[in-house]
């Protein structure tokens, strides 16, 4: 027979157990992190690992859901969504916002930084200015991760720069749009998530991007040439709404910053390791992958000089100071 004391003890134990199970759920904070690229792209994979690191470090107090492939917000909308608090975090190719401020496009100044080592130096030189500008918009920069060097995709041989005239050219930022204009192409602004359909329907028949974007878009179904121009190495920025971050306790903030530092290091390594793999995949799918001819390379260099001059004029003393600091590294 169960006495009253046993029943009370059992009830207390059950209540304590129920509270213990309910407490984490009640205390958990849930955040969204919209991103622009497919789930199997290294950028998205890195973000998922970042979210897992944060959740583990906070004991489940902060759960971050990554929304890849522009499924929550389109790429150009992500930064504004984070600034306005519609999403707590976000990741986007920062150069698509060069119209706001030239410094956001510093990593797509043609032929300024074409290796991962140089891209890291340019990042170090430009990071304080980028952080300051985002901070003024209510955004805290967490980390930045590069793409692979950019090349040109077409469906025809390119022997000289003049062969690009008249192509329907996909642009994704100020630099690519300006390049299209400079070379007499028909420029159409299309973000990565919309590129496969644009290629399939013939809206565009050429573009500049990394081997990763070509692979994500199954470019070989529409185009068959890739010229490894290595024009620049753009970077994606992952950031957080400043007010949301400041509202967290110190331990959770520290967990995010530590996970961000790990994600940045991991992301750079992922892309350095996978850049060659993407090129091999393009070849395996039957694409003609080659370096540009001397004449084509010369034409790109000349166009690059014009674009660099344009950028330096827009960026003014601040831009020149960053470039000068980078070149001294």
């Amino acid at each position: 027979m169960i006495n009253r004391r046993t029943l009370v003890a059992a009830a207390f134990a059950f209540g304590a157990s129920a509270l213990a199970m309910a407490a984490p759920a009640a205390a958990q904070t849930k955040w969204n992190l919209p991103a622009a690229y497919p789930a199997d792209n290294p950028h998205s994979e890195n973000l998922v690992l970042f979210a897992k690191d944060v959740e583990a470090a906070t004991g489940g107090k902060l759960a971050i859901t990554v929304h890849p492939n522009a499924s929550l917000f389109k790429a150009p909308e992500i930064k504004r969504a984070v600034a306005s608090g519609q999403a707590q975090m976000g990741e986007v190719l920062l150069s698509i916002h060069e119209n706001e401020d030239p410094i956001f496009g510093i990593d797509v100044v043609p032929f300024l930084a074409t290796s991962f080592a140089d891209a890291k130096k340019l990042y170090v030189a430009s990071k304080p200015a980028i952080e300051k500008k985002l901070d003024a918009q209510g955004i805290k920069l967490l980390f930045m991760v590069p793409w692979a060097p950019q090349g040109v995709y077409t469906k025809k041989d390119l022997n000289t720069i003049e062969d690009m005239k008249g192509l329907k050219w996909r642009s994704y930022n100020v630099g690519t749009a300006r390049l299209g204009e400079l070379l007499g192409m028909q420029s159409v602004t299309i973000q990565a998530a919309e590129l496969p359909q644009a290629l399939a329907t013939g809206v565009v028949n050429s573009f500049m991007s990394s081997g990763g974007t070509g692979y994500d878009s199954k470019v070989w179904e529409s185009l068959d040439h890739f010229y490894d121009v290595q024009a620049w190495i753009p970077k994606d920025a992952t950031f957080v709404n400043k007010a949301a971050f400041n509202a967290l306790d110190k331990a959770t903030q520290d967990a995010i910053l530590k996970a961000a530092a790990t994600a940045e290091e991991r992301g750079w390594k992922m892309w350095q390791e996978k850049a060659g793999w993407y090129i091999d995949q393009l070849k395996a799918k039957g694409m003609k992958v080659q370096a540009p001819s001397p004449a084509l390379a010369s034409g790109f260099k000349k166009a690059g000089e014009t674009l660099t001059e344009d950028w330096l004029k827009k960026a003014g003393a601040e831009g020149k100071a960053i470039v000068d600091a980078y070149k001294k590294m």
Side-chain angles (χ1 to χ4, degrees):
M1 186 173 178
I2 301 174
N3 60 33
R4 184 173 180 277
R5 183 177 293 178
T6 304
L7 284 170
V8 170
F12 179 82
F14 175 79
S17 175
L19 283 172
M21 288 187 290
Q28 188 179 60
T29 299
K30 295 183 178 181
W31 281 9
N32 290 313
L33 197 169
Y37 304 101
D40 60 352
N41 182 282
H43 285 295
S44 300
E45 291 176 343
N46 191 34
L47 290 175
V48 170
L49 293 173
F50 163 72
K52 286 181 178 178
D53 286 347
V54 171
E55 189 161 2
T58 61
K61 280 178 65 178
L62 178 58
I64 301 167
T65 301
V66 177
H67 300 269
N69 209 35
S71 57
L72 190 60
F73 292 99
K74 292 182 179 180
E77 301 168 351
I78 290 174
K79 187 164 76 67
R80 180 177 291 178
V82 174
S84 64
Q86 292 174 275
Q88 295 81 11
M89 286 182 167
E91 185 215 39
V92 73
L93 184 72
L94 194 58
S95 63
I96 69 173
H97 296 292
E98 187 180 335
N99 271 330
E100 288 180 33
D101 195 299
I103 301 302
F104 289 153
I106 194 168
D107 56 11
V108 294
V109 175
F111 307 107
L112 179 61
T114 59
S115 69
F116 284 108
D118 283 348
K120 178 59 76 72
K121 291 177 185 177
L122 184 59
Y123 172 44
V124 170
S126 60
K127 185 179 179 181
I130 292 171
E131 285 181 317
K132 185 177 179 181
K133 291 175 187 300
L134 290 175
D135 184 79
Q137 298 177 341
I139 296 171
K140 180 178 180 63
L141 178 67
L142 292 176
F143 59 93
M144 292 186 72
V145 172
W147 286 83
Q150 307 287 284
V152 173
Y153 294 90
T154 68
K155 199 174 182 178
K156 70 176 207 173
D157 290 328
L158 299 178
N159 298 306
T160 70
I161 206 76
E162 285 74 26
D163 292 332
M164 298 182 72
K165 189 172 184 179
L167 289 174
K168 290 185 280 186
W169 175 255
R170 172 250 179 169
S171 64
Y172 61 83
N173 57 19
V174 173
T176 47
R178 181 79 177 96
L179 183 63
E181 177 188 327
L182 200 61
L183 301 181
M185 296 183 283
Q186 301 172 40
S187 189
V188 185
T189 300
I190 296 170
Q191 298 305 322
E194 303 159 349
L195 183 55
Q197 184 178 2
L199 289 169
T201 56
V203 173
V204 294
N205 58 16
S206 59
F207 65 100
M208 175 177 279
S209 198
S210 69
T213 299
Y215 179 83
D216 289 345
S217 305
K218 296 184 179 179
V219 67
W220 52 84
E221 295 179 355
S222 304
L223 309 179
D224 51 19
H225 288 63
F226 178 72
Y227 291 91
D228 196 8
V229 177
Q230 300 194 5
W232 54 67
I233 296 180
K235 292 183 287 292
D236 279 12
T238 298
F239 36 68
V240 59
N241 176 280
K242 196 167 63 169
F245 181 83
N246 290 341
L248 298 171
D249 60 77
K250 179 69 162 54
T252 303
Q253 290 178 351
D254 289 344
I256 291 173
L257 296 178
K258 184 178 180 181
T262 299
E264 183 166 278
E265 184 177 348
R266 179 177 56 227
W268 281 78
K269 186 177 180 183
M270 287 171 77
W271 274 100
Q272 289 178 76
E273 290 176 348
K274 208 161 183 181
W277 181 86
Y278 279 126
I279 298 298
D280 290 341
Q281 293 305 302
L282 296 181
K283 291 176 182 176
K285 297 296 183 180
M287 293 200 70
K288 189 175 181 181
V289 177
Q290 59 194 310
S293 68
L296 183 59
S298 176
F300 273 119
K301 186 178 179 182
K302 186 176 180 182
E305 288 169 354
T306 300
L307 293 178
T308 300
E309 190 177 323
D310 288 349
W311 184 86
L312 285 168
K313 284 179 183 175
K314 288 187 295 182
E318 183 180 32
K320 184 179 185 302
I322 294 172
V323 172
D324 288 346
Y326 156 69
K327 289 182 175 179
K328 288 176 183 175
M329 289 179 176

